[in-house]
Amino acid sequence: MAEILTITANPALDLSTDAPAVIPDRKLRCTAPLIHPGGGGVNISRAIANLGGESRALVAYGGQTGQQLVDLIEAEGLTCGSLGVDYATRQSISVRDMATGLQYRFMMPGSDWTASDAEAACDAILGAVTPGALVIPSGSLPPGLSVDFFLDLVPDLAAQGARMVIDTSGPALSRAAEAKAGLYVLRMDTAEAEELTGRTLSDLHDIAALTSELRAAGAAEIVVVAAGAQGTVIDTGDWRGLTRPPVVVVHSKIGAGDSFMGAFALSLSRGEDAVTACCWGTAAAASAVTTHGTELCRREEVERFFGQVERVGM
């Protein structure tokens, strides 16, 4: 079984709460906040733990918020290591408007990284990688960190038989898509795909065509695009299609993508094929949206939903 190593360069302490209504120029009396450790890689490791799997999380953390983040991570039974960069950890907050059901998410920036910070993180990652591992950088990049940072690690990882699975956004996604860096998996959601291409992806066939374009261009061996409630489109080279989830009642979309990645990676680490892994990921995302705030997928639900996921060739 392959080890899973998640990397979070820009984590956050996530607070989520409800307000009777979100309106300007008034004090909004909110409910007691839920506090969870956040950041793409952190949440992927949390999702893996929820599903009964194991991973190691490498995180850049510092200050009181950073210590609280680590305490919360370890309280969930996860193994947390440092990237060797110790700026004070940022915070984020999500507020659900109880009058409309809409959710507002406020994301604070991280601290600026220097060249020596990047070097320390590189050493930490390469020192933690084991042969054959799945390495998953996920989430936003802190200011100052090059969009090529993770891509530049791929040759050293490949020398150890490790494979990189990237789930990112913005300029880092654009660079990953064009770099032909030898990625194993490249994942994004539809909004990110539209930003990447500069065109509207109006239906699933447009999304499927994009996955094939990116594969053919050498972006990654496997390309995955989340299409919301419709499911996830994947192109492995051997199969292209949609993994369609069961219909569920949505409470919060926070954590759906990270839950997908956790279940997807866990399945791959166990030797299952990529399409089966995508079905597990789709089931996990469906479970995550039924939870409140920053909660993630639930194992019993994921196992039940997995049997209801449809595979539709395209």
Side-chain angles (χ1 to χ4, degrees), residues 244-312:
R244 179 182 291 146
V247 176
V248 298
V249 177
V250 176
H251 289 290
S252 170
K253 296 180 181 179
I254 297 175
D258 295 329
S259 291
F260 175 95
M261 286 299 294
F264 180 78
L266 183 58
S267 176
L268 290 177
S269 75
R270 291 171 172 168
E272 295 181 310
D273 65 89
V275 178
T276 298
C278 193
C279 290
W280 279 113
T282 299
S287 172
V289 300
T290 67
T291 65
H292 293 277
T294 54
E295 294 181 57
L296 298 170
C297 57
R298 297 167 176 162
R299 183 174 183 178
E300 290 184 1
E301 274 189 345
V302 173
E303 292 173 349
R304 176 162 54 88
F305 289 160
F306 175 75
Q308 301 173 37
V309 173
E310 299 178 49
R311 305 184 187 200
V312 182

Short mmCIF file of all heavy atoms in Angstrom, two decimals, residues 244-312:
data_model
loop_
_atom_site.label_atom_id
_atom_site.label_comp_id
_atom_site.label_asym_id
_atom_site.label_seq_id
_atom_site.Cartn_x
_atom_site.Cartn_y
_atom_site.Cartn_z
N ARG A 244 -21.33 9.78 -11.45
CA ARG A 244 -22.50 10.57 -11.02
C ARG A 244 -22.93 10.15 -9.61
O ARG A 244 -23.18 8.98 -9.35
CB ARG A 244 -23.66 10.35 -11.99
CG ARG A 244 -24.93 11.10 -11.61
CD ARG A 244 -26.04 10.78 -12.62
NE ARG A 244 -25.75 11.36 -13.92
CZ ARG A 244 -26.08 10.80 -15.08
NH1 ARG A 244 -26.66 9.60 -15.11
NH2 ARG A 244 -25.79 11.41 -16.22
N PRO A 245 -23.04 11.12 -8.69
CA PRO A 245 -23.40 10.79 -7.30
C PRO A 245 -24.91 10.64 -7.13
O PRO A 245 -25.68 11.04 -8.02
CB PRO A 245 -22.92 12.02 -6.53
CG PRO A 245 -23.14 13.15 -7.52
CD PRO A 245 -22.81 12.57 -8.87
N PRO A 246 -25.33 10.08 -6.00
CA PRO A 246 -26.76 10.08 -5.68
C PRO A 246 -27.22 11.49 -5.36
O PRO A 246 -26.40 12.37 -5.04
CB PRO A 246 -26.84 9.17 -4.45
CG PRO A 246 -25.50 9.30 -3.81
CD PRO A 246 -24.52 9.44 -4.94
N VAL A 247 -28.52 11.73 -5.42
CA VAL A 247 -29.07 13.03 -5.06
C VAL A 247 -29.09 13.15 -3.54
O VAL A 247 -29.57 12.26 -2.84
CB VAL A 247 -30.50 13.20 -5.63
CG1 VAL A 247 -31.10 14.52 -5.17
CG2 VAL A 247 -30.46 13.13 -7.15
N VAL A 248 -28.54 14.26 -3.03
CA VAL A 248 -28.50 14.50 -1.58
C VAL A 248 -28.95 15.93 -1.29
O VAL A 248 -29.00 16.78 -2.18
CB VAL A 248 -27.07 14.28 -1.01
CG1 VAL A 248 -26.62 12.84 -1.23
CG2 VAL A 248 -26.08 15.25 -1.65
N VAL A 249 -29.27 16.18 -0.02
CA VAL A 249 -29.63 17.53 0.42
C VAL A 249 -28.35 18.25 0.83
O VAL A 249 -27.61 17.78 1.70
CB VAL A 249 -30.62 17.49 1.60
CG1 VAL A 249 -30.90 18.90 2.10
CG2 VAL A 249 -31.91 16.80 1.18
N VAL A 250 -28.08 19.39 0.20
CA VAL A 250 -26.83 20.12 0.43
C VAL A 250 -26.99 21.08 1.61
O VAL A 250 -27.90 21.90 1.63
CB VAL A 250 -26.42 20.90 -0.83
CG1 VAL A 250 -25.17 21.73 -0.56
CG2 VAL A 250 -26.19 19.94 -1.99
N HIS A 251 -26.07 20.96 2.58
CA HIS A 251 -26.02 21.90 3.70
C HIS A 251 -24.83 22.85 3.57
O HIS A 251 -24.93 24.03 3.88
CB HIS A 251 -25.94 21.16 5.03
CG HIS A 251 -27.21 20.46 5.40
ND1 HIS A 251 -28.35 21.13 5.78
CD2 HIS A 251 -27.52 19.13 5.44
CE1 HIS A 251 -29.31 20.26 6.04
NE2 HIS A 251 -28.83 19.04 5.84
N SER A 252 -23.69 22.34 3.16
CA SER A 252 -22.49 23.17 3.01
C SER A 252 -21.57 22.52 1.98
O SER A 252 -21.33 21.31 2.04
CB SER A 252 -21.74 23.31 4.34
OG SER A 252 -20.48 23.91 4.14
N LYS A 253 -21.08 23.34 1.04
CA LYS A 253 -20.19 22.82 0.02
C LYS A 253 -18.73 22.83 0.46
O LYS A 253 -17.86 22.30 -0.24
CB LYS A 253 -20.34 23.63 -1.27
CG LYS A 253 -21.72 23.51 -1.89
CD LYS A 253 -21.84 24.34 -3.17
CE LYS A 253 -23.24 24.23 -3.76
NZ LYS A 253 -23.37 25.05 -4.99
N ILE A 254 -18.47 23.41 1.63
CA ILE A 254 -17.10 23.44 2.14
C ILE A 254 -16.61 22.02 2.37
O ILE A 254 -17.28 21.20 3.00
CB ILE A 254 -17.01 24.24 3.44
CG1 ILE A 254 -17.40 25.70 3.20
CG2 ILE A 254 -15.61 24.18 4.03
CD1 ILE A 254 -17.45 26.53 4.46
N GLY A 255 -15.42 21.72 1.88
CA GLY A 255 -14.81 20.41 2.13
C GLY A 255 -15.17 19.33 1.15
O GLY A 255 -14.64 18.22 1.23
N ALA A 256 -16.05 19.63 0.19
CA ALA A 256 -16.45 18.59 -0.77
C ALA A 256 -15.26 18.17 -1.63
O ALA A 256 -15.00 16.97 -1.82
CB ALA A 256 -17.59 19.08 -1.64
N GLY A 257 -14.51 19.16 -2.14
CA GLY A 257 -13.36 18.84 -2.97
C GLY A 257 -12.27 18.12 -2.20
O GLY A 257 -11.65 17.18 -2.71
N ASP A 258 -12.03 18.53 -0.97
CA ASP A 258 -11.01 17.87 -0.15
C ASP A 258 -11.44 16.45 0.22
O ASP A 258 -10.60 15.54 0.28
CB ASP A 258 -10.75 18.69 1.11
CG ASP A 258 -10.15 20.05 0.79
OD1 ASP A 258 -9.44 20.18 -0.21
OD2 ASP A 258 -10.43 21.01 1.55
N SER A 259 -12.73 16.26 0.48
CA SER A 259 -13.23 14.91 0.76
C SER A 259 -13.06 14.03 -0.47
O SER A 259 -12.68 12.85 -0.36
CB SER A 259 -14.70 14.97 1.19
OG SER A 259 -14.83 15.58 2.46
N PHE A 260 -13.36 14.60 -1.64
CA PHE A 260 -13.13 13.85 -2.88
C PHE A 260 -11.68 13.39 -2.95
O PHE A 260 -11.40 12.21 -3.20
CB PHE A 260 -13.46 14.71 -4.11
CG PHE A 260 -13.13 14.03 -5.42
CD1 PHE A 260 -14.10 13.34 -6.12
CD2 PHE A 260 -11.83 14.05 -5.92
CE1 PHE A 260 -13.78 12.68 -7.30
CE2 PHE A 260 -11.50 13.40 -7.10
CZ PHE A 260 -12.49 12.71 -7.80
N MET A 261 -10.76 14.34 -2.76
CA MET A 261 -9.35 14.02 -2.91
C MET A 261 -8.89 12.99 -1.88
O MET A 261 -8.07 12.12 -2.19
CB MET A 261 -8.52 15.29 -2.78
CG MET A 261 -8.60 16.20 -4.00
SD MET A 261 -8.00 15.40 -5.51
CE MET A 261 -6.27 15.19 -5.10
N GLY A 262 -9.41 13.08 -0.66
CA GLY A 262 -9.04 12.10 0.35
C GLY A 262 -9.44 10.70 -0.03
O GLY A 262 -8.64 9.75 0.04
N ALA A 263 -10.70 10.53 -0.44
CA ALA A 263 -11.19 9.21 -0.82
C ALA A 263 -10.51 8.72 -2.09
O ALA A 263 -10.19 7.53 -2.23
CB ALA A 263 -12.71 9.26 -1.00
N PHE A 264 -10.31 9.61 -3.03
CA PHE A 264 -9.65 9.29 -4.30
C PHE A 264 -8.23 8.78 -4.04
O PHE A 264 -7.82 7.71 -4.54
CB PHE A 264 -9.63 10.54 -5.17
CG PHE A 264 -8.99 10.38 -6.53
CD1 PHE A 264 -9.67 9.77 -7.55
CD2 PHE A 264 -7.72 10.90 -6.77
CE1 PHE A 264 -9.09 9.65 -8.82
CE2 PHE A 264 -7.13 10.77 -8.02
CZ PHE A 264 -7.82 10.15 -9.05
N ALA A 265 -7.47 9.52 -3.24
CA ALA A 265 -6.09 9.14 -2.95
C ALA A 265 -6.02 7.84 -2.16
O ALA A 265 -5.16 6.99 -2.41
CB ALA A 265 -5.40 10.26 -2.19
N LEU A 266 -6.92 7.69 -1.20
CA LEU A 266 -6.92 6.47 -0.39
C LEU A 266 -7.17 5.24 -1.26
O LEU A 266 -6.51 4.21 -1.11
CB LEU A 266 -7.98 6.57 0.70
CG LEU A 266 -8.06 5.40 1.70
CD1 LEU A 266 -6.73 5.20 2.41
CD2 LEU A 266 -9.18 5.64 2.71
N SER A 267 -8.10 5.36 -2.20
CA SER A 267 -8.37 4.26 -3.11
C SER A 267 -7.16 3.94 -3.98
O SER A 267 -6.77 2.77 -4.14
CB SER A 267 -9.58 4.60 -3.99
OG SER A 267 -9.82 3.60 -4.94
N LEU A 268 -6.52 4.98 -4.53
CA LEU A 268 -5.33 4.76 -5.34
C LEU A 268 -4.22 4.09 -4.53
O LEU A 268 -3.52 3.20 -5.02
CB LEU A 268 -4.82 6.08 -5.91
CG LEU A 268 -5.65 6.78 -6.99
CD1 LEU A 268 -5.01 8.11 -7.34
CD2 LEU A 268 -5.78 5.91 -8.23
N SER A 269 -4.07 4.53 -3.28
CA SER A 269 -3.00 3.97 -2.45
C SER A 269 -3.21 2.49 -2.16
O SER A 269 -2.25 1.77 -1.89
CB SER A 269 -2.91 4.75 -1.13
OG SER A 269 -3.97 4.41 -0.25
N ARG A 270 -4.46 2.06 -2.24
CA ARG A 270 -4.79 0.65 -2.01
C ARG A 270 -4.72 -0.18 -3.28
O ARG A 270 -5.04 -1.36 -3.28
CB ARG A 270 -6.19 0.55 -1.40
CG ARG A 270 -6.25 1.09 0.03
CD ARG A 270 -7.67 1.18 0.55
NE ARG A 270 -7.68 1.51 1.99
CZ ARG A 270 -8.75 1.88 2.67
NH1 ARG A 270 -9.93 1.99 2.06
NH2 ARG A 270 -8.66 2.16 3.96
N GLY A 271 -4.30 0.46 -4.38
CA GLY A 271 -4.10 -0.27 -5.63
C GLY A 271 -5.31 -0.35 -6.53
O GLY A 271 -5.28 -1.06 -7.54
N GLU A 272 -6.37 0.38 -6.21
CA GLU A 272 -7.55 0.37 -7.06
C GLU A 272 -7.33 1.27 -8.27
O GLU A 272 -6.51 2.19 -8.24
CB GLU A 272 -8.79 0.82 -6.27
CG GLU A 272 -9.15 -0.16 -5.16
CD GLU A 272 -10.38 0.26 -4.38
OE1 GLU A 272 -10.44 1.43 -3.95
OE2 GLU A 272 -11.26 -0.59 -4.17
N ASP A 273 -8.06 1.01 -9.36
CA ASP A 273 -7.88 1.79 -10.58
C ASP A 273 -8.46 3.19 -10.39
O ASP A 273 -9.25 3.45 -9.48
CB ASP A 273 -8.56 1.09 -11.77
CG ASP A 273 -10.06 1.02 -11.61
OD1 ASP A 273 -10.75 1.96 -12.04
OD2 ASP A 273 -10.56 0.03 -11.03
N ALA A 274 -8.07 4.10 -11.29
CA ALA A 274 -8.42 5.51 -11.13
C ALA A 274 -9.92 5.77 -11.24
O ALA A 274 -10.43 6.69 -10.58
CB ALA A 274 -7.67 6.35 -12.16
N VAL A 275 -10.63 5.01 -12.05
CA VAL A 275 -12.08 5.23 -12.18
C VAL A 275 -12.79 4.81 -10.90
O VAL A 275 -13.69 5.51 -10.40
CB VAL A 275 -12.65 4.49 -13.41
CG1 VAL A 275 -14.15 4.70 -13.50
CG2 VAL A 275 -11.97 4.98 -14.69
N THR A 276 -12.39 3.67 -10.34
CA THR A 276 -12.95 3.26 -9.06
C THR A 276 -12.62 4.30 -7.98
O THR A 276 -13.47 4.65 -7.15
CB THR A 276 -12.40 1.89 -8.64
OG1 THR A 276 -12.78 0.92 -9.62
CG2 THR A 276 -12.92 1.47 -7.27
N ALA A 277 -11.39 4.81 -8.00
CA ALA A 277 -11.00 5.85 -7.05
C ALA A 277 -11.87 7.09 -7.22
O ALA A 277 -12.26 7.73 -6.23
CB ALA A 277 -9.53 6.20 -7.24
N CYS A 278 -12.20 7.42 -8.46
CA CYS A 278 -13.05 8.58 -8.72
C CYS A 278 -14.46 8.35 -8.17
O CYS A 278 -15.09 9.29 -7.66
CB CYS A 278 -13.09 8.86 -10.22
SG CYS A 278 -13.79 10.46 -10.65
N CYS A 279 -14.94 7.13 -8.25
CA CYS A 279 -16.25 6.81 -7.67
C CYS A 279 -16.23 6.99 -6.16
O CYS A 279 -17.18 7.52 -5.57
CB CYS A 279 -16.65 5.38 -8.04
SG CYS A 279 -17.05 5.13 -9.78
N TRP A 280 -15.15 6.52 -5.52
CA TRP A 280 -15.02 6.74 -4.08
C TRP A 280 -14.97 8.23 -3.75
O TRP A 280 -15.60 8.70 -2.80
CB TRP A 280 -13.76 6.05 -3.53
CG TRP A 280 -13.90 4.58 -3.29
CD1 TRP A 280 -13.28 3.58 -3.95
CD2 TRP A 280 -14.72 3.96 -2.29
NE1 TRP A 280 -13.66 2.35 -3.44
CE2 TRP A 280 -14.54 2.56 -2.41
CE3 TRP A 280 -15.58 4.43 -1.30
CZ2 TRP A 280 -15.18 1.64 -1.59
CZ3 TRP A 280 -16.23 3.52 -0.48
CH2 TRP A 280 -16.04 2.15 -0.62
N GLY A 281 -14.23 8.98 -4.56
CA GLY A 281 -14.16 10.41 -4.34
C GLY A 281 -15.50 11.09 -4.51
O GLY A 281 -15.88 11.99 -3.73
N THR A 282 -16.26 10.67 -5.50
CA THR A 282 -17.58 11.24 -5.75
C THR A 282 -18.51 10.94 -4.58
O THR A 282 -19.30 11.80 -4.15
CB THR A 282 -18.15 10.67 -7.06
OG1 THR A 282 -17.27 11.04 -8.14
CG2 THR A 282 -19.54 11.20 -7.35
N ALA A 283 -18.44 9.74 -4.05
CA ALA A 283 -19.26 9.38 -2.89
C ALA A 283 -18.87 10.22 -1.68
O ALA A 283 -19.74 10.66 -0.91
CB ALA A 283 -19.09 7.89 -2.59
N ALA A 284 -17.58 10.46 -1.51
CA ALA A 284 -17.11 11.26 -0.36
C ALA A 284 -17.55 12.71 -0.49
O ALA A 284 -17.94 13.34 0.50
CB ALA A 284 -15.60 11.17 -0.25
N ALA A 285 -17.50 13.26 -1.70
CA ALA A 285 -17.96 14.63 -1.90
C ALA A 285 -19.46 14.75 -1.60
O ALA A 285 -19.91 15.73 -1.00
CB ALA A 285 -17.67 15.07 -3.33
N ALA A 286 -20.23 13.75 -2.02
CA ALA A 286 -21.67 13.75 -1.75
C ALA A 286 -21.93 13.71 -0.25
O ALA A 286 -22.85 14.36 0.26
CB ALA A 286 -22.33 12.56 -2.44
N SER A 287 -21.13 12.94 0.48
CA SER A 287 -21.28 12.89 1.93
C SER A 287 -20.92 14.23 2.55
O SER A 287 -21.62 14.72 3.45
CB SER A 287 -20.38 11.79 2.50
OG SER A 287 -20.36 11.84 3.91
N ALA A 288 -19.85 14.86 2.08
CA ALA A 288 -19.38 16.11 2.68
C ALA A 288 -20.41 17.23 2.59
O ALA A 288 -20.56 18.01 3.53
CB ALA A 288 -18.07 16.55 2.02
N VAL A 289 -21.13 17.32 1.47
CA VAL A 289 -22.07 18.44 1.32
C VAL A 289 -23.31 18.27 2.21
O VAL A 289 -24.06 19.23 2.39
CB VAL A 289 -22.51 18.63 -0.15
CG1 VAL A 289 -21.31 18.92 -1.03
CG2 VAL A 289 -23.30 17.44 -0.67
N THR A 290 -23.51 17.10 2.78
CA THR A 290 -24.64 16.90 3.69
C THR A 290 -24.32 17.34 5.11
O THR A 290 -25.20 17.39 5.97
CB THR A 290 -25.09 15.43 3.73
OG1 THR A 290 -24.07 14.63 4.34
CG2 THR A 290 -25.39 14.90 2.33
N THR A 291 -23.04 17.68 5.38
CA THR A 291 -22.62 18.08 6.72
C THR A 291 -22.67 19.60 6.84
O THR A 291 -22.81 20.32 5.86
CB THR A 291 -21.21 17.58 7.04
OG1 THR A 291 -20.27 18.21 6.16
CG2 THR A 291 -21.12 16.08 6.88
N HIS A 292 -22.51 20.08 8.07
CA HIS A 292 -22.57 21.52 8.32
C HIS A 292 -21.18 22.10 8.47
O HIS A 292 -20.24 21.42 8.90
CB HIS A 292 -23.38 21.80 9.59
CG HIS A 292 -24.84 21.46 9.45
ND1 HIS A 292 -25.75 22.31 8.88
CD2 HIS A 292 -25.53 20.33 9.78
CE1 HIS A 292 -26.96 21.75 8.88
NE2 HIS A 292 -26.85 20.54 9.42
N GLY A 293 -21.06 23.39 8.14
CA GLY A 293 -19.81 24.11 8.36
C GLY A 293 -18.65 23.47 7.64
O GLY A 293 -18.71 23.17 6.45
N THR A 294 -17.55 23.28 8.38
CA THR A 294 -16.33 22.74 7.79
C THR A 294 -16.14 21.26 8.09
O THR A 294 -15.03 20.74 8.04
CB THR A 294 -15.11 23.54 8.30
OG1 THR A 294 -15.12 23.54 9.74
CG2 THR A 294 -15.15 24.97 7.81
N GLU A 295 -17.21 20.58 8.42
CA GLU A 295 -17.12 19.13 8.59
C GLU A 295 -16.83 18.48 7.24
O GLU A 295 -17.08 19.06 6.18
CB GLU A 295 -18.43 18.57 9.16
CG GLU A 295 -18.74 19.01 10.58
CD GLU A 295 -20.03 18.40 11.09
OE1 GLU A 295 -20.13 17.15 11.09
OE2 GLU A 295 -20.94 19.16 11.46
N LEU A 296 -16.33 17.25 7.28
CA LEU A 296 -15.98 16.54 6.05
C LEU A 296 -16.83 15.29 5.91
O LEU A 296 -17.84 15.13 6.58
CB LEU A 296 -14.48 16.21 6.07
CG LEU A 296 -13.55 17.43 6.12
CD1 LEU A 296 -12.11 17.00 6.38
CD2 LEU A 296 -13.63 18.23 4.83
N CYS A 297 -16.41 14.40 5.02
CA CYS A 297 -17.19 13.20 4.73
C CYS A 297 -17.26 12.25 5.93
O CYS A 297 -16.40 12.28 6.82
CB CYS A 297 -16.59 12.47 3.54
SG CYS A 297 -14.84 12.03 3.75
N ARG A 298 -18.29 11.41 5.92
CA ARG A 298 -18.51 10.42 6.97
C ARG A 298 -18.42 9.03 6.36
O ARG A 298 -19.04 8.75 5.34
CB ARG A 298 -19.88 10.63 7.61
CG ARG A 298 -20.01 11.98 8.31
CD ARG A 298 -21.44 12.28 8.65
NE ARG A 298 -21.58 13.53 9.41
CZ ARG A 298 -22.71 14.20 9.54
NH1 ARG A 298 -23.82 13.74 8.96
NH2 ARG A 298 -22.75 15.32 10.24
N ARG A 299 -17.67 8.16 7.02
CA ARG A 299 -17.33 6.87 6.44
C ARG A 299 -18.56 6.03 6.08
O ARG A 299 -18.64 5.49 4.96
CB ARG A 299 -16.44 6.09 7.42
CG ARG A 299 -15.97 4.75 6.87
CD ARG A 299 -14.98 4.10 7.82
NE ARG A 299 -14.46 2.86 7.29
CZ ARG A 299 -13.54 2.12 7.90
NH1 ARG A 299 -13.03 2.53 9.07
NH2 ARG A 299 -13.11 1.00 7.36
N GLU A 300 -19.52 5.91 6.98
CA GLU A 300 -20.69 5.08 6.70
C GLU A 300 -21.46 5.59 5.51
O GLU A 300 -21.93 4.82 4.67
CB GLU A 300 -21.59 5.00 7.94
CG GLU A 300 -21.00 4.19 9.09
CD GLU A 300 -21.98 4.05 10.24
OE1 GLU A 300 -23.11 4.56 10.14
OE2 GLU A 300 -21.59 3.42 11.25
N GLU A 301 -21.60 6.92 5.41
CA GLU A 301 -22.30 7.51 4.28
C GLU A 301 -21.54 7.26 2.98
O GLU A 301 -22.13 6.94 1.94
CB GLU A 301 -22.48 9.02 4.47
CG GLU A 301 -23.69 9.41 5.26
CD GLU A 301 -23.91 10.91 5.23
OE1 GLU A 301 -22.99 11.65 4.85
OE2 GLU A 301 -25.00 11.33 5.60
N VAL A 302 -20.22 7.43 3.03
CA VAL A 302 -19.41 7.25 1.84
C VAL A 302 -19.54 5.82 1.32
O VAL A 302 -19.71 5.59 0.11
CB VAL A 302 -17.94 7.59 2.11
CG1 VAL A 302 -17.06 7.24 0.91
CG2 VAL A 302 -17.78 9.07 2.46
N GLU A 303 -19.48 4.85 2.22
CA GLU A 303 -19.60 3.46 1.80
C GLU A 303 -20.98 3.18 1.21
O GLU A 303 -21.11 2.41 0.24
CB GLU A 303 -19.31 2.54 2.99
CG GLU A 303 -17.84 2.61 3.42
CD GLU A 303 -17.56 1.85 4.71
OE1 GLU A 303 -18.54 1.45 5.39
OE2 GLU A 303 -16.37 1.66 5.04
N ARG A 304 -22.00 3.82 1.76
CA ARG A 304 -23.36 3.63 1.22
C ARG A 304 -23.50 4.33 -0.13
O ARG A 304 -24.03 3.77 -1.08
CB ARG A 304 -24.37 4.17 2.22
CG ARG A 304 -25.83 4.13 1.74
CD ARG A 304 -26.78 4.24 2.92
NE ARG A 304 -26.50 5.41 3.75
CZ ARG A 304 -27.01 6.62 3.52
NH1 ARG A 304 -27.82 6.81 2.49
NH2 ARG A 304 -26.73 7.63 4.34
N PHE A 305 -23.01 5.55 -0.22
CA PHE A 305 -23.12 6.31 -1.47
C PHE A 305 -22.30 5.68 -2.60
O PHE A 305 -22.67 5.78 -3.77
CB PHE A 305 -22.67 7.76 -1.26
CG PHE A 305 -23.62 8.60 -0.45
CD1 PHE A 305 -23.17 9.77 0.14
CD2 PHE A 305 -24.95 8.24 -0.29
CE1 PHE A 305 -24.04 10.57 0.88
CE2 PHE A 305 -25.82 9.02 0.46
CZ PHE A 305 -25.36 10.18 1.04
N PHE A 306 -21.18 5.04 -2.25
CA PHE A 306 -20.33 4.44 -3.28
C PHE A 306 -21.12 3.46 -4.15
O PHE A 306 -20.95 3.41 -5.37
CB PHE A 306 -19.13 3.74 -2.63
CG PHE A 306 -18.26 2.99 -3.61
CD1 PHE A 306 -17.41 3.68 -4.46
CD2 PHE A 306 -18.31 1.60 -3.69
CE1 PHE A 306 -16.60 2.99 -5.37
CE2 PHE A 306 -17.51 0.91 -4.59
CZ PHE A 306 -16.66 1.61 -5.44
N GLY A 307 -21.98 2.70 -3.50
CA GLY A 307 -22.79 1.74 -4.25
C GLY A 307 -23.84 2.39 -5.14
O GLY A 307 -24.43 1.72 -6.00
N GLN A 308 -24.06 3.68 -4.94
CA GLN A 308 -25.07 4.40 -5.73
C GLN A 308 -24.45 5.29 -6.81
O GLN A 308 -25.17 5.89 -7.61
CB GLN A 308 -25.93 5.26 -4.80
CG GLN A 308 -26.65 4.48 -3.73
CD GLN A 308 -27.35 5.38 -2.72
OE1 GLN A 308 -27.90 6.41 -3.07
NE2 GLN A 308 -27.32 4.97 -1.46
N VAL A 309 -23.13 5.39 -6.85
CA VAL A 309 -22.46 6.20 -7.87
C VAL A 309 -22.55 5.49 -9.21
O VAL A 309 -22.25 4.31 -9.33
CB VAL A 309 -20.99 6.45 -7.49
CG1 VAL A 309 -20.23 7.15 -8.64
CG2 VAL A 309 -20.89 7.29 -6.22
N GLU A 310 -22.94 6.22 -10.25
CA GLU A 310 -23.06 5.68 -11.60
C GLU A 310 -21.83 6.04 -12.42
O GLU A 310 -21.32 7.15 -12.33
CB GLU A 310 -24.30 6.23 -12.29
CG GLU A 310 -25.62 5.89 -11.63
CD GLU A 310 -26.78 6.51 -12.38
OE1 GLU A 310 -26.84 6.36 -13.63
OE2 GLU A 310 -27.61 7.17 -11.73
N ARG A 311 -21.39 5.11 -13.26
CA ARG A 311 -20.31 5.38 -14.21
C ARG A 311 -20.94 5.54 -15.59
O ARG A 311 -21.58 4.63 -16.11
CB ARG A 311 -19.30 4.23 -14.24
CG ARG A 311 -18.73 3.87 -12.88
CD ARG A 311 -17.67 2.81 -13.00
NE ARG A 311 -17.22 2.32 -11.72
CZ ARG A 311 -16.07 1.68 -11.50
NH1 ARG A 311 -15.24 1.46 -12.54
NH2 ARG A 311 -15.74 1.27 -10.29
N VAL A 312 -20.72 6.71 -16.17
CA VAL A 312 -21.32 7.02 -17.47
C VAL A 312 -20.20 7.37 -18.45
O VAL A 312 -19.55 8.42 -18.33
CB VAL A 312 -22.30 8.21 -17.37
CG1 VAL A 312 -22.96 8.46 -18.71
CG2 VAL A 312 -23.34 7.95 -16.29
#
